[in-house]
Amino acid sequence: LTTRAKGGRAASRSWRIRALFASVLALLLAWSSLSVMPAQAAGDPGLPGIGKAIDNKKDAYDKGDTVTYRLSIKCDSLEEPCGTGTLVDTLDPNLTYTSYVVAHTKNPDGETGIADVSFSQSGQTLTWTIGSAAKPFMDGETLDIVVNAKVKSVPTNADRTIDNNATLTVPGGSKTSPT
């Protein structure tokens, strides 16, 4: 003997619709929380990483002061070399480039990087080539380029700040440093 609650068929249909709706909603929520990043296929060049920090930070710089900042770059791949990359830093008109130093840092295995580094300047644009066919920019390799520039005129903005960023480009992509 089977008993049916009042409106049993309608209640059953309503329950199925609600269950279907809840399942679809759960799938949508799960799907929307995923971060979708293209996978790096074997044999693809590595991806770059870049950071920037001022080494001699002051509240304000005056005409004639030297600003020293560090561009930290890395081949973020753990499998493939970045190969040969280009780091481009266009200086603000309030600055004059004076010098740079490259510091190769050790990777997690304690090995010092080997990438060749060459430099050129055209006006306010500073360009470094990182890596070569003989000594590529290797996966996991990190190096710092410390740049010195002299303040030739004080900025006229209220904070007396000079914005500057650099872009590192390798065959796998490019990244721009924070300002």
Side-chain angles (χ1 to χ4, degrees):
L1 200 310
T2 309
T3 60
R4 199 192 259 178
K6 186 176 179 183
R9 181 174 246 173
S12 175
R13 176 190 263 168
S14 174
W15 180 86
R16 281 186 279 176
I17 291 172
R18 276 189 254 146
L20 177 63
F21 177 75
S23 296
V24 170
L25 182 60
L27 285 172
L28 285 173
L29 288 173
W31 180 72
S32 70
S33 67
L34 294 175
S35 294
V36 179
M37 293 198 46
Q40 183 177 338
D44 281 352
L47 301 172
I50 185 168
K52 188 182 85 179
I54 298 175
D55 283 1
N56 64 337
K57 192 164 182 108
K58 295 170 52 172
D59 289 337
Y61 292 91
D62 294 315
K63 184 177 178 180
D65 285 350
T66 297
V67 177
T68 302
Y69 63 95
R70 178 178 307 269
L71 298 166
S72 298
I73 63 171
K74 181 176 184 180
C75 177
D76 277 340
S77 170
L78 296 177
E79 296 176 8
E80 298 294 327
C82 287
T84 301
T86 305
L87 176 64
V88 177
D89 184 3
T90 303
L91 293 179
D92 183 277
N94 292 300
L95 296 174
T96 300
Y97 163 77
T98 57
S99 65
Y100 81 95
V101 174
V102 176
H104 288 273
T105 58
K106 294 186 179 198
N107 66 18
D109 296 331
E111 301 163 337
T112 301
I114 60 163
D116 284 332
V117 179
S118 61
F119 172 76
S120 65
Q121 178 182 6
S122 177
Q124 292 295 93
T125 302
L126 312 177
T127 304
W128 290 268
T129 300
I130 314 297
S132 65
K135 294 183 180 179
F137 190 23
M138 296 300 292
D139 51 312
E141 186 171 351
T142 301
L143 57 97
D144 290 342
I145 297 178
V146 180
V147 180
N148 293 299
K150 196 164 281 289
V151 177
K152 66 179 175 183
S153 58
V154 177
T156 58
N157 59 31
D159 295 335
R160 292 177 49 169
T161 57
I162 298 174
D163 291 336
N164 173 271
N165 57 21
T167 300
L168 174 61
T169 303
V170 297
S174 66
K175 289 219 177 137
T176 299
S177 70
T179 301

